Amino acid sequence: MSSLFKRTHMCGTLTADNIGEEVVINGWVAKRRNLGGIIFCDMRDKTGIVQVVFNDDIPQELFDRADSLRSEFTAGIKGTVKRRQDENRDLPTGEIEIFASDLVIYSEAETPPIYIKDDDVVDDNLRLKYRYLDLRKKTMQDSLTFRHRIAKTARDYFDEQGFTEVETPMMIKPTPEGARDYLVPSRISQGNFYALPQSPQMYKQLLMVGGTDRYMQIVKCFRDEDLRADRQPEFTQIDMELSFVDEEDVMSINEGFMKKLFKEVMDIDLQTPFRRIPYDEAMERYGSDKPDTRFGFELKKLNDKVSGCDFRVFTEALAAGGDVRGICIEGGAEQYTRKKIDKLTELSRSYGAKGLVWIKFADEVSSSVNKFFSPEQLQEIGDVFGAGRGDLVLIVSGSAKVTFDTLGFLRRHIAGEMGLLDSSRYDFLWVTDFPLYEYSEEEGRYTAMHHPFTSPQDDCLDILESDPANVKARAYDIVLNGVEIGGGSIRIHDRALQQRMFKVLGISDQQVEERFGFLVEAFKYGAPPHGGLAYGLDRLVMLLSGRDSIRDVMAFPKNQAAQCMVSGAPSPAGEGQLDELGLELKKKRKIEE
């Protein structure tokens, strides 16, 4: 075996400026072609592909070695860069090629189970099973490099702003609030469990009590919940907490971070400050607390226009305390046929809507409720939206939640179908003034919309217990193109106020002690006013790189069943391990019984 060839250049970095130079590259064989007397070999590394030529000027032994190359062999090549006669404009290195003078084969490879090319269409589970092969694709390497640049920019920026990066524990006390915890059994303290953190929330607050002043961390978090395109059981946050600040301080610092990030990573100049929308306005206008503002289709309430009509679906919704709302799709009358509207109706049902009423404005006004409304009445409804010829109005009735959820989904879904989601446009905004509480019908009590340490707004302190539905929080989310990329709040630092919050949430003193006792104890010794924010790093990378799933920006993600296809995790534990932990599997015991 020949010794290692010391690399001088990466494959994808060679240009016409290197013509005449002797270079050494290392990588994988992407493709080999023997044309009789001349062998062409495409060599690939994480930076790209370059063509290598073995011609009959080289020794026969070297030519024979080159002829033995196959796809995905790893090799090192020495040679001279020359101008390529048949320039390949599809390759960044298409102006040049390397005329080889030596070759070392580091390892051979069997035929891979997936093609190593960016445009290969392959089942996701197969891609994830052979992720180490999938990662050889330039798009995947670009994603990892892009993620690295975002993480580095974050560290650099927050360091410049006086933040200290601090690691918080991975094994913590289970706190049954929010999503399910992943539990870790203790061998030393059998019968007890650690939890993997859903976020470093309480520890970063303790850091503020400890005088750290400004903390940040790029940290793994874990939630045992159902998966989707932008959700994984383990994910990464850019997490921060600051002392002696209010909302304006936190927002300003993070607008500065976004401005630096977009400039350094994407060479885009963002305009700050970002637009701000109160939660109630976001819901009324867009049906979402993370509105996409790159297009119109804003919601309008139609209660006054349909009150007293003969259409029972509307009147029953109003009688039950619900609403009738709609959106206007400019230019949608012709594009959305009855068949397409029927598909929208079916999609709407999953959001609780019982149906979808439509009105088309063409030469004549037509509607799915023609027999209940005159043309003049339908036009009056259209006038609420400023609807004109060629427009389509879609209407949903029901509870506020149903109308918001359904129309919020429809406006973005339809915008996507109509090609209105401009990927080159970045609409940032802050959503503010969230409700502090939300009522859980299932639990029969109020729960914290964010978490129980979020501070209420000062002018809501008098109604904290008497009118919880109308208490606003000092909370804020940063939204980009209809996706929440980060969220945070000003925290409660006063012990008496924290106790009031726990009481409204129905958390007893005993439960407080069991779940949050160490934080409450710390607050006895002087807690500064503090607040923070956390970004979903995976989601941020996905959005900025134009990918459709966070799995495409993670090295080794789980599949839809939360399985690691590479390693086979989760997998059974051995009997010896279970005995050491003092555990017996309930499922196995039932089978034996």
Side-chain angles (χ1 to χ4, degrees), residues 172-468:
I172 66 172
K173 182 183 178 67
T175 55
E177 289 283 329
R180 296 183 191 89
D181 285 329
Y182 279 102
L183 297 178
V184 180
S186 170
R187 176 184 62 82
I188 296 172
S189 180
Q190 289 192 3
N192 291 318
F193 295 82
Y194 302 102
L196 300 180
Q198 296 184 30
S199 81
Q201 182 60 47
M202 285 186 281
Y203 281 99
K204 66 181 183 178
Q205 290 191 251
L206 288 176
L207 287 171
M208 298 301 100
V209 176
T212 304
D213 194 70
R214 289 189 173 190
Y215 138 95
M216 71 82 60
Q217 182 182 193
I218 298 180
V219 58
K220 279 285 186 186
C221 302
F222 308 85
R223 291 178 188 172
D224 185 4
E225 56 189 355
D226 295 334
L227 306 188
R228 59 190 185 203
D230 62 348
R231 182 182 286 172
Q232 283 276 300
E234 54 180 317
F235 56 97
T236 306
Q237 287 184 349
I238 302 175
D239 193 48
M240 72 195 72
E241 197 79 8
L242 304 81
S243 290
F244 306 107
V245 294
D246 59 17
E247 296 91 327
E248 297 297 326
D249 298 315
V250 178
M251 290 184 194
S252 177
I253 285 223
N254 281 281
E255 287 174 351
F257 171 49
M258 284 293 117
K259 195 174 181 69
K260 180 182 178 73
L261 180 65
F262 268 70
K263 183 61 178 176
E264 293 201 358
V265 176
M266 304 179 70
D267 197 25
I268 292 174
D269 291 307
L270 293 181
Q271 297 300 310
T272 55
F274 299 151
R275 177 183 174 192
R276 299 183 188 185
I277 301 179
Y279 170 88
D280 289 342
E281 181 183 340
M283 297 303 294
E284 287 290 341
R285 293 177 61 185
Y286 303 104
S288 172
D289 60 1
K290 44 184 181 294
D292 193 334
T293 55
R294 289 175 292 175
F295 58 95
F297 307 169
E298 292 189 17
L299 278 64
K300 302 289 185 183
K301 187 183 284 191
L302 301 170
N303 293 13
D304 293 343
K305 293 294 180 183
V306 301
S307 177
C309 71
D310 296 329
F311 186 46
R312 286 180 55 191
V313 174
F314 287 172
T315 56
E316 288 176 359
L318 294 176
D323 295 300
V324 179
R325 290 184 170 89
I327 54 175
C328 179
I329 312 301
E330 290 86 357
E334 185 174 341
Q335 185 166 339
Y336 279 87
T337 61
R338 287 289 298 273
K339 186 176 181 180
K340 284 188 174 181
I341 293 175
D342 287 343
K343 287 184 179 179
L344 295 178
T345 302
E346 283 305 308
L347 290 172
S348 300
R349 295 189 195 283
S350 62
Y351 292 87
K354 294 180 180 179
L356 194 60
V357 171
W358 57 266
I359 307 173
K360 287 187 175 184
F361 296 87
D363 292 333
E364 295 181 355
V365 180
S366 60
S367 172
S368 56
V369 289
N370 274 339
K371 63 181 178 180
F372 300 104
F373 293 89
S374 68
E376 291 75 21
Q377 289 174 313
L378 294 175
Q379 185 59 60
E380 286 182 12
I381 292 174
D383 290 343
V384 174
F385 301 91
R389 182 185 174 85
D391 292 346
L392 169 69
V393 169
L394 299 174
I395 302 172
V396 174
S397 61
S399 67
K401 177 175 173 51
V402 166
T403 59
F404 287 147
D405 289 354
T406 305
L407 293 171
F409 159 75
L410 284 176
R411 66 179 295 272
R412 200 162 192 268
H413 176 80
I414 292 169
E417 290 188 331
M418 296 179 72
L420 300 178
L421 302 181
D422 183 358
S423 60
S424 66
R425 178 175 167 183
Y426 297 96
D427 273 20
F428 278 94
L429 57 89
W430 290 101
V431 177
T432 62
D433 303 324
F434 280 86
L436 185 66
Y437 308 109
E438 56 187 346
Y439 190 78
S440 170
E441 296 288 348
E442 183 179 339
E443 298 183 40
R445 67 179 180 92
Y446 281 98
T447 60
M449 178 169 271
H450 285 79
H451 53 65
F453 312 110
T454 299
S455 181
Q457 293 184 1
D458 291 345
D459 58 1
C460 293
L461 293 177
D462 291 342
I463 61 169
L464 194 65
E465 295 89 354
S466 62
D467 191 11

Side-chain angles (χ1 to χ4, degrees), residues 549-569:
S549 168
I550 63 172
R551 290 194 295 271
D552 291 332
V553 299
M554 302 173 77
F556 298 102
K558 307 295 190 290
N559 67 5
Q560 289 288 72
Q563 297 170 313
C564 173
M565 297 300 293
V566 174
S567 68

